[in-house]
Amino acid sequence: MRRRKKENMGSAARVGNSSYDYSFKVLLIGDSGVGKSSLLLSFISNSDSIHHLSPTIGVDFKIKLFTIGGKRLKLTIWDTAGQERFGTVISSYYRGAHGIILVYDVTRRETFTNLVDIWAKEVELYSTNHDCIKILVGNKVDKEGERAVTKEEGMALAQEHRCLFLECSAKTRENVQQCFNDLTLKILEVPGLREKGYVVVKRQKQKKSQSDSCCS
Amino acid sequence: MNERQEDDRSNSIATLDSRFSQTLRNVQGLLKGRSMPGKILLSRWSDSPDDTNSPNYKRSFSHSDAGTSDHTSGEEEEEFQSTSKPIGITSAIKLRISTSLGESPPEEVRKSAVGARATDSARVMKFTKVLSATVVTLDKLRELAWSGVPDNMRPKVWRLLLGYEPPNSDRREGVLRRKRLEYLDYIAQYYDIADTDRSDDEVNMLRQIAVDCPRTVPDVPFFQQQQVQKSLERILYAWAIRHPASGYVQGINDLVTPFLVVYLSEYLEGGIDNWSMSDLSPDKIANIEADCYWCLSKLLDGMQDHYTFAQPGIQRLVFKLKELVRRINEPVSRHIEDQGLEFLQFAFRWFNCLLIREIPFHLITRLWDTYLAEGDALPDFLVYIFASFLLMWSDKLQKLDFQELVMFLQHLPTQNWNHQELEVVLSRAFMWHSMFNDSPSHLAG
């Protein structure tokens, strides 16, 4: 039972066809209102307009297939609620994640400081892949006039926590694709993660029949 | 409902109607001879026998009596009638009900304005009678309200059901005046002050509320008006400060919106699309906000641990939901489990926002009529409503793998829902509640 759950939520997706070579789980975290859902929508859909979205409650979940460096990838992206109060629930979001995107709003300084005070600690606590890739993302650079966190500060924090770093805008879509590209390329560079995400249909079938027989 | 209207509802919805009426017949069959602790439940469906044109359910009966029902429903009915002894329902029968009911997919549910029941003249008269009494009998009001409240009576009915407006008409004016002043006092004391006079936690909470208000029900343009968002902010902040055990939790912003729409409807003409807050005097806005504040408070008093840290109340109900679904429809339950999908991953939001995110906004007030009529029993009844809601797609769900399930459940195809679909959800919830609520083996957690 437990094994099967892991399979589904983590690396090896259960699919009939093998239209992709790797399947990775990515998690979006950060304060509420920094634009996690917007960033995701901007990445998933090709529409130019990002409207107001309702605050995420619990978790939202989206899938994107794309090709990078000649590899066909499937990303399942878990978009979490920004208000941290879900305790035990949240650990299931982190389980088996290959990549984590930490988002802040460049116009709201507290969303930046909370990344250190709250979110980095949470990653430390719940993350099960200890070599998982993190990327720090400063969103809303389209509001340059309201900027409250400099790019240098962002870079310094990223370095300190050994994260990748980018500034982007979900609204204008500037750097949005780049953010996911950088993250997945880096995941592919880490043998431990790459192997966990490698999709071998045959192996999964065996696993599945094993667990079926032991459960029934 | 007169004959002509009945004819208008052409054969195309006969399938649904017959199934729907079957549900109700099943309920009646099950209830026959059964002692029900909650008398309200029984009488909801059979108001008074002489009233032939009021409840939809009656009409549905005659519809299928006229020969439109299919063969299987006849069979089922026999089985039910024969097993309707006190309490004892064999598990075989349970399974049968669940599978057969689970088979009506929403695709075949035709749009039809069944909400008309609430405005039906006989029902309106009943409401008028109950409401005009010197002391309103709340049990009677609950019975009536469970099946939907006429729009123009809703503000008052909700205030009464929530225990905000006293049932005794002599006291009514005085209590409302006092409560509304009390709210103004909270605003002066907590909201209309400088940030420097707030604690760090309070500043953070206000900030969180201010972030959420502009993105509350974003698909309804009315909520984009700045004054509406400001009202929301004041109500939520006052509530959060007055309820320090939980404080503001995301999703509570959604819960204010039905109240706001209903209390605005006392002062603004026409539909929500044409409303403008700037047409209202500050006094009126203050009254509306106060009513929303108190109603929200009363509603959430019954769910105190739903919004405290880690939201244990919601986790408990999600667990109950999982158990109930397993009893009603084992195949769906097993499929969900096999796929490794946890109920918490989709049903958390349902409980947190009371389904506001899941169905079209114009149906919410009707749904809430039933919520508020349930009163103290609401949290447990939510489990039945949500099971019924989930199982609207019982066939579809079994065809989806983990990822498809998550995606499907996060964007359920309810965009074109009308009152009819909602009534199906509620009537099945009612039926399952009657069947399962007294049996001891589940909900023991």
Side-chain angles (χ1 to χ4, degrees), chain A residues 6 36 50 56 79-80 89 91 117 122 135 179 190 195:
Chain A
K6 254 190 176 165
K36 296 181 293 298
I50 298 294
T56 305
D79 177 18
T80 63
V89 188
S91 65
D117 298 341
E122 204 179 271
I135 181 167
C179 159
V190 180
E195 278 161 28

Side-chain angles (χ1 to χ4, degrees), chain B residues 14-22 25 63-65 67-77 100 103-104 108:
Chain B
T15 326
L16 175 80
D17 256 20
S18 67
R19 281 198 165 124
F20 185 60
S21 67
Q22 191 55 48
R25 276 205 249 187
H63 204 256
S64 60
D65 285 343
T68 47
S69 64
D70 54 34
H71 305 297
T72 47
S73 42
E75 261 170 51
E76 275 162 29
E77 195 201 349
S100 60
E103 271 162 15
S104 85
E108 74 182 38

Side-chain angles (χ1 to χ4, degrees), chain A residues 31-161:
Chain A
D31 271 15
S32 75
V34 297
K36 296 181 293 298
S37 304
S38 299
L39 193 67
L40 182 51
L41 192 67
S42 175
F43 172 59
I44 294 291
S45 75
N46 286 323
S47 86
D48 279 330
S49 57
I50 298 294
H51 300 289
H52 270 309
L53 302 170
S54 302
T56 305
I57 303 294
V59 67
D60 206 336
F61 176 98
K62 289 199 166 50
I63 291 175
K64 173 95 169 181
L65 291 160
F66 68 112
T67 302
I68 192 162
K71 304 282 195 299
R72 293 167 306 172
L73 294 178
K74 181 169 95 170
L75 288 191
T76 57
I77 305 153
W78 295 60
D79 177 18
T80 63
Q83 199 183 27
E84 28 83 49
R85 55 164 55 244
F86 300 104
T88 54
V89 188
I90 222 153
S91 65
S92 80
Y93 305 157
Y94 280 90
R95 198 181 303 139
H98 301 89
I100 297 176
I101 304 176
L102 299 110
V103 190
Y104 66 96
D105 173 350
V106 297
T107 71
R108 284 164 60 215
R109 187 155 191 93
E110 76 277 5
T111 67
F112 181 69
T113 51
N114 280 345
L115 280 179
V116 182
D117 298 341
I118 297 169
W119 299 104
K121 285 177 189 152
E122 204 179 271
V123 172
E124 202 60 39
L125 194 62
Y126 295 117
S127 183
T128 57
N129 282 330
H130 284 290
D131 46 0
C132 86
I133 306 300
K134 285 163 278 180
I135 181 167
L136 183 64
V137 174
N139 189 27
K140 307 197 187 179
V141 289
D142 51 287
K143 297 183 183 173
E144 188 57 46
E146 299 169 41
R147 184 188 275 276
V149 183
T150 66
K151 191 168 183 176
E152 288 68 31
E153 287 174 293
M155 285 166 77
L157 185 69
Q159 233 164 23
E160 190 187 326
H161 288 262

Side-chain angles (χ1 to χ4, degrees), chain A residues 1 8-9 14 32-33 52-55 57 59-61 63 74 76 83 85-86 89 108 110, chain B residues 207-208 212 215 218 246 248-250 307 310-311 337 339 344-345 348 352 357 401 403 406-407 410:
Chain A
M1 191 59 245
N8 288 328
M9 293 165 69
R14 247 167 39 75
S32 75
H52 270 309
L53 302 170
S54 302
I57 303 294
V59 67
D60 206 336
F61 176 98
I63 291 175
K74 181 169 95 170
T76 57
Q83 199 183 27
R85 55 164 55 244
F86 300 104
V89 188
R108 284 164 60 215
E110 76 277 5
Chain B
R207 201 182 268 154
Q208 178 72 65
D212 287 350
R215 38 187 201 150
S246 63
Y248 170 73
V249 176
Q250 290 190 301
Y307 301 98
Q311 307 193 248
E337 193 160 315
Q339 291 301 315
L344 214 45
Q345 285 164 352
F348 186 89
N352 197 75
R357 299 280 185 96
D401 71 12
Q403 288 168 357
V406 181
M407 309 277 254
Q410 258 161 12

